Amino acid sequence: MRRFGDPRLWEIETPVYRRFLAKVRKMEGVMSLLAGDPDFETPKHIREAAIKAIEEGWTHYPAWDGYIDLRTALAEYHSQYGTDWDPESEVRLFSGSTPALFTCFVALLQRGDGIVVFEPYYMGYSPVFSYLDLKLSPVSLKEERRFHPDIEELKEAIKPETKMIVVCSPNNPTGTVYNEEELKAIRDLAVDHDLLVLSDEIYDQFVYEGKHLSIAAMPDMRERTVVILSFSKTFAMTGWRLGAVLADKEVLSLIKKVPIGGRPAAFIQKAGLAALKGPWEPVERFREEYRKRRDFLAEKLNEIEGVSCVLPEGAFYLFPNISGICEDSVKFCEGLLEEEKVAVYPGIAYGKTGEGHVRIALVKPIEELKRCAEAFKNYAERHR
Ligand code: PLP
């Protein structure tokens, strides 16, 4: 048969992480610390709000950009970081931040544009970067700098074709929480070079050291920043598919023109509104639990010869260096999976800078993370 469709799609390779995930799914008895999918239940008041909304008949086509009450609640939520988005024209709902990200990249970049990204970066960006044939200029987040960027390297990464800087803070997979000085340096470069900034803030509630800042609130940044938010991690709502874009109306009007629809179901938006209204106690509970898991597992991993683990400042992943055992992260993960039945992602899936590391999602209780620590220890003893 002829090859139909866009040749760009044929060329996109299945990412490393998808191949790894497919392998894990075929195996039995594996403890998976792969996906960033919280093990907590969606809080009760949110579930109840969804059920009530269905019973009340919120089952029709929802408003095109999302219901205004939810957009207003999102603008208010984000104003805690110093922004002032207009709910009418500057907030749009999506079925999760994944389609929001795709739509923003497609709307704001052209094939062949340059993009600066801090590496290791969230692997979900990669297929879109490939699809748009973007010229990536990675800025490394190195372990010796506690995964913080070197601003000189950032300056050098900006090329004549660069159109956008992607900032993900707190960062997946390294947990980096960008500080004010770093964000200011990024801001200065974005303004001087007339660049857009995509600010992926979906882990904003999970900060253990420092505090979450939004670059959108910095001077002259509102017109050039696209903020991505999601309910997935904050409220343990990964399966509900609810996310949002907040951006200046000129920018958002372009994003709205991408014909992908993608609005979330009516009753899910009602649940989202209940989530933002609170109570917020469950989110605080999640944060404290992740903090305990982080402290526990990082300490255990640091006791293992050949492994070193920086304590992440945010998000809910550990990104330990395993190069003292095996330089090749895919090989390490395959070995750990086969011999110890514990699944973690190879760091190379997050870009070349991630090689020599693995990502562990802290989505299991401490009791189970003990097994993970044991698995690393046993594996290290055998292969060091
Ligand atoms: N952005 C980052 C940095 C992520 O880690 C993820 C998921 O892991 C997403 C976006 C996508 O989240 P969702 O589509 O569930 O909103």
Side-chain angles (χ1 to χ4, degrees), residues 125-279:
Y125 301 147
S126 309
V128 196
F129 293 165
S130 307
Y131 177 68
L132 282 174
D133 232 346
L134 301 179
K135 294 197 180 76
L136 291 200
S137 273
V139 177
S140 54
L141 300 174
K142 295 206 179 96
E143 185 187 13
E144 55 265 31
R145 300 179 59 89
R146 291 199 77 213
F147 300 120
H148 279 264
D150 175 352
I151 300 303
E152 286 312 308
E153 199 187 325
L154 169 62
K155 284 183 189 157
E156 278 162 30
I158 296 173
K159 305 278 181 328
E161 66 273 17
T162 304
K163 298 281 167 54
M164 182 188 269
I165 305 176
V166 177
V167 180
C168 178
S169 181
N171 187 45
N172 172 7
T174 58
T176 316
V177 175
Y178 288 64
N179 60 38
E180 189 164 0
E181 199 186 320
E182 288 158 348
L183 290 179
K184 193 175 170 307
I186 298 169
R187 177 253 163 225
D188 291 350
L189 289 165
V191 172
D192 288 352
H193 295 268
D194 194 13
L195 308 175
L196 288 168
V197 171
L198 184 127
S199 181
D200 186 334
E201 302 181 20
I202 80 162
Y203 295 96
D204 66 331
Q205 283 295 326
F206 303 113
V207 173
Y208 317 104
E209 275 149 55
K211 63 174 182 170
H212 178 75
L213 301 169
S214 178
I215 196 168
M218 293 188 153
D220 307 315
M221 286 309 285
R222 118 185 269 302
E223 314 61 53
R224 57 178 74 249
T225 309
V226 179
V227 173
I228 304 288
L229 293 180
S230 173
F231 289 70
S232 290
K233 318 287 178 175
T234 308
F235 302 105
M237 288 175 74
T238 46
W240 298 63
R241 311 312 299 133
L242 190 58
V245 175
L246 292 75
D248 180 78
K249 57 179 172 306
E250 298 280 320
V251 176
L252 198 68
S253 68
L254 266 182
I255 294 167
K256 286 183 189 174
K257 284 185 187 162
V258 179
I260 74 158
R263 46 200 162 144
F267 55 89
I268 287 183
Q269 294 193 42
K270 291 293 158 197
L273 184 62
L276 287 173
K277 276 194 177 154

Side-chain angles (χ1 to χ4, degrees), residues 33-69:
L33 300 170
L34 295 174
D37 190 352
D39 55 331
F40 308 117
E41 272 183 13
T42 303
K44 196 158 193 283
H45 68 282
I46 303 175
R47 287 183 273 140
E48 283 172 355
I51 294 164
K52 183 161 171 274
I54 293 174
E55 296 296 350
E56 284 175 2
W58 291 95
T59 51
H60 296 271
Y61 282 127
W64 192 251
D65 298 320
Y67 290 117
I68 191 65
D69 51 2

